[in-house]
Structures are given as structure tokens and as C-alpha cells.
Amino acid sequence: MPKILERLEGQLEKKGMGKSQAAAVATSSLQKNGVLKKGTQQLTPKGEARNSMTAAERARDRAAKAAGKKPADYTYNQMKNTARLKK
């Protein structure tokens, strides 16, 4: 099972979802976003790239894409799994 899928399942379980529901939601979400191939748990090329990133790198990448900036312009908040612009 890919690391990115395991992490998302764990996050959903911590929010109160049952194990099987968290697995279904995580798989569906990653398939919808093009990280996993439809109907499988196999990584796509995009998924390979995302899976090789750390949580911090993914958070900075998400924030940078949304704002049109560079990931290096952001700092990572581990408690919230988010990134903010450096001051």
C-alpha cells in the first residue's frame, strides 16, 4: 500500500471514521485526484511523485499552487498539516 494512502487513512481515522470507511474514502479521494489509478490502489505517475514527497513538501506544494508562488516561500505547520507564507 502506498505511503500517501496509509497517511490519509490514518488522518481520517483520527477524525473519527471507522477503519473500513476511512480506507474507502481515502482510496476514492486519491483516485479522484489522479494519485491512484481508477479502481485500484496503484500509483499513477503523479501519484509516484506525490508519494515520494514528505507531508511538509506536499503541504508547501499545495499552498504554492493555490497562490501561484514557489514552495520555498512557505513554512510547514506540522500540527495542522498546512503551510503559510514566510514572514
Side-chain angles (χ1 to χ4, degrees):
M1 178 184 311
K3 290 187 311 185
I4 196 166
L5 179 59
E6 287 179 16
R7 180 166 167 81
L8 183 53
E9 284 180 14
Q11 289 173 327
L12 293 172
E13 286 175 27
K14 282 183 182 178
K15 287 187 176 185
M17 274 192 196
K19 192 168 186 75
S20 62
Q21 184 182 10
V25 170
T27 301
S28 174
S29 178
L30 292 174
Q31 287 173 349
K32 179 181 169 190
N33 287 304
V35 175
L36 296 177
K37 294 177 183 176
K38 298 287 182 192
T40 71
Q41 290 186 354
Q42 289 183 317
L43 293 169
T44 61
K46 175 185 174 182
E48 292 283 349
R50 301 297 285 181
N51 195 51
S52 68
M53 296 171 133
T54 65
E57 290 170 327
R58 285 191 300 270
R60 287 193 300 262
D61 189 56
R62 282 192 305 270
K65 283 182 182 177
K69 298 185 183 276
K70 292 182 258 176
D73 295 339
Y74 290 85
T75 58
Y76 178 61
N77 180 335
Q78 186 175 10
M79 299 302 287
K80 294 184 178 183
N81 192 31
T82 58
R84 297 184 73 144
L85 270 175
K86 291 179 183 176
K87 293 183 180 184

